[in-house]
Amino acid sequence: GKKVLLCEVEGRQGIAQLFDVPPLPYEERRIAVGLGGGEVYALAIDPEAALLEYLAMYYRLGRAGKALDKFGIIDFATTIAPGVRDVLLTGKVYEAARRRTGGRFTYDAVIMDAPPTGRITRFLNVNSEVAGLAKVGPIRRQADSIMEMMRAPETRVHLVTVLEEMPVQETIDGIAELTSERLPVGHVILNLVRPSVLSEASQDALTSGALEPAAIASALAGVGLQRDLDAAEALIAGGEAH
């Protein structure tokens, strides 16, 4: 029943693949409708397109910005100053999250598929990234506004991992880095987890040390012996000789 925007910043077009829709352009597009109402919108954020939009919004460049793009200036700017690139990518998410329609926020929730865990803190902490590039001006003001949203009570950074040594360690390190930068950590989501082969009672017994190896061996031997006796009786009753 909610209106949700999914954003991605890595150019993978993962959202389009997940929802089986054509590759997403640089615009908010509805890709699904819930059975109980609600809508899912998606946005693939391109840094060059975001910079053109930024120049048009703050500097009124318009056609001049597109001319710069033809000369490769846009690509040069986003490559030479990666901090500015991250401000542009997260800035578009910030704009969508803060946009209002009819006195209320346009979207009930905005979800961003951010870069891998190893780079997440640097990506989200755009304030420090632009500190050496812009002390004042619109880029600095936008970076400050983004950081205010990133550290807001309604914002959470969720981490996704699998139960393997390296991904788990990266997740632990990521949580420590996010915490040190005062970025709010949400949930840890485990992918590819299989159900346990042990019952809850057995797990509790193992954890508490209530199960003894000798008792387990004896029980297993008893089960095996009884199974063999049952099989022999069935064979005799059937008139078969072995």
Side-chain angles (χ1 to χ4, degrees):
K2 302 292 185 180
K3 188 176 182 180
V4 178
L5 174 66
L6 305 179
C7 304
E8 61 180 8
V9 297
E10 291 278 276
R12 294 191 298 260
Q13 289 291 341
I15 296 175
Q17 295 176 34
L18 180 65
F19 285 86
D20 194 22
V21 297
L24 298 170
Y26 180 62
E27 66 180 34
E28 293 159 37
R29 176 171 293 183
R30 191 174 71 175
I31 58 174
V33 179
L35 295 176
E39 300 170 297
V40 178
Y41 284 76
L43 171 65
I45 305 175
D46 175 72
E48 286 75 21
L51 181 54
L52 284 174
E53 184 179 16
Y54 177 85
L55 293 173
M57 184 181 300
Y58 288 98
Y59 295 99
R60 304 289 191 271
L61 288 186
R63 292 182 179 178
K66 294 182 179 180
L68 290 174
D69 190 27
K70 291 181 179 179
F71 287 104
I73 302 298
I74 304 296
D75 186 54
F76 172 77
T78 55
T79 302
I80 202 69
V84 172
R85 180 181 183 275
D86 292 345
V87 170
L88 293 168
L89 293 171
T90 53
K92 183 61 179 177
V93 178
Y94 169 84
E95 185 274 326
R98 288 292 179 263
R99 190 188 313 145
R100 290 179 177 271
T101 304
R104 55 169 293 175
F105 287 120
T106 303
Y107 295 104
D108 296 296
V110 176
I111 302 171
M112 177 172 64
D113 184 12
T117 306
R119 295 193 288 116
I120 186 62
T121 302
R122 180 177 179 181
F123 175 77
L124 295 178
N125 193 19
V126 294
N127 206 353
S128 63
E129 287 297 298
V130 301
L133 299 172
K135 301 295 183 182
V136 295
I139 290 181
R140 180 67 196 199
R141 288 195 297 272
Q142 184 166 356
D144 290 340
S145 298
I146 293 169
M147 289 314 303
E148 183 178 346
M149 179 189 71
M150 293 295 183
R151 294 182 174 128
E154 63 269 22
T155 300
R156 289 291 182 273
V157 182
H158 306 294
L159 297 100
V160 182
T161 185
V162 293
L163 289 178
E164 297 175 6
E165 184 175 0
M166 184 175 294
V168 168
Q169 187 59 53
E170 286 183 348
T171 301
I172 294 172
D173 295 341
I175 291 173
E177 292 177 3
L178 290 167
T179 303
S180 68
E181 295 295 339
R182 297 185 294 114
L183 291 165
V185 177
H187 298 289
V188 175
I189 300 166
L190 302 178
N191 273 347
L192 306 177
V193 178
R194 297 178 179 177
S196 175
V197 297
L198 296 175
S199 67
E200 188 173 343
S202 297
Q203 293 182 49
D204 292 340
L206 286 170
T207 303
S208 63
L211 291 181
E212 297 181 0
I216 297 174
S218 176
L220 291 175
V223 170
L225 177 60
Q226 187 62 50
R227 186 174 61 242
D228 290 343
L229 289 173
D230 292 342
E233 290 176 357
L235 290 172
I236 293 172
E240 298 180 24
H242 287 269

